[in-house]
Amino acid sequence: MTTALDVPTMRRRRCMRHMPCAPESARSARHLVQEKLTDWGRLDLLEDARLIVSELVGNAARHTGCTWLCVALGLDGGRLRLAVRDSSRALPVVIKTGVTETSGRGMGLVDRIANRWGVDEAPFGK
């Protein structure tokens, strides 16, 4: 799954890290995003990027049954791209939730915050 936020930049930068497919990996993913955006001088993107990566990792961990995932960040041509790759073919969906529901809002948040998002399917997952 990938998302994009428009940002001005002059240089291409990349980072990728493999993690267990577990809810606890959301914390590691947030730390990775904070570390890289700090290194890249883009703290203006930190809050939205940390929320998006948390939701993507959490969604993969809770709903796919995958055993591993990979968090990738790229800052290129004015765009921050966040990707969470997992070993499952199950596709994420945005669901409508009621006011009293306590879960199910993750992909809706991603949909509202990111400029766009989508899924690249692969033989090993997405």
Side-chain angles (χ1 to χ4, degrees):
M1 163 134 28
T2 60
T3 63
L5 300 169
D6 284 324
V7 295
T9 185
M10 300 301 284
R11 299 186 324 207
R12 173 185 285 183
R13 298 170 180 159
R14 301 269 185 251
C15 175
M16 188 180 333
R17 191 159 304 153
H18 287 85
M19 302 176 185
C21 188
E24 299 81 29
S25 291
R27 181 177 186 210
S28 298
R30 286 189 304 272
H31 180 71
L32 175 64
V33 165
Q34 181 167 340
E35 175 187 321
K36 290 298 152 190
L37 290 179
T38 298
D39 289 349
W40 298 341
R42 294 310 311 251
L43 294 178
D44 57 309
L45 302 174
L46 186 57
E47 185 176 331
D48 286 346
R50 283 174 44 105
L51 177 59
I52 288 170
V53 80
S54 288
E55 294 301 335
L56 296 180
V57 169
N59 192 62
R62 282 188 298 279
H63 302 294
T64 68
C66 66
T67 56
W68 61 267
L69 55 84
C70 179
V71 176
L73 291 87
L75 190 58
D76 185 16
R79 188 169 299 274
L80 173 65
R81 181 177 180 169
L82 299 174
V84 174
R85 297 181 181 136
D86 64 54
S87 58
S88 170
R89 302 280 319 240
L91 300 178
V93 294
V94 176
I95 59 175
K96 297 202 184 263
T97 56
V99 176
T100 60
E101 294 180 65
T102 59
S103 65
R105 292 181 173 83
M107 291 308 301
L109 288 170
V110 170
D111 189 52
R112 283 189 291 277
I113 295 170
N115 289 343
R116 68 175 193 249
W117 67 273
V119 178
D120 296 324
E121 294 182 81
F124 61 86
K126 63 183 173 310

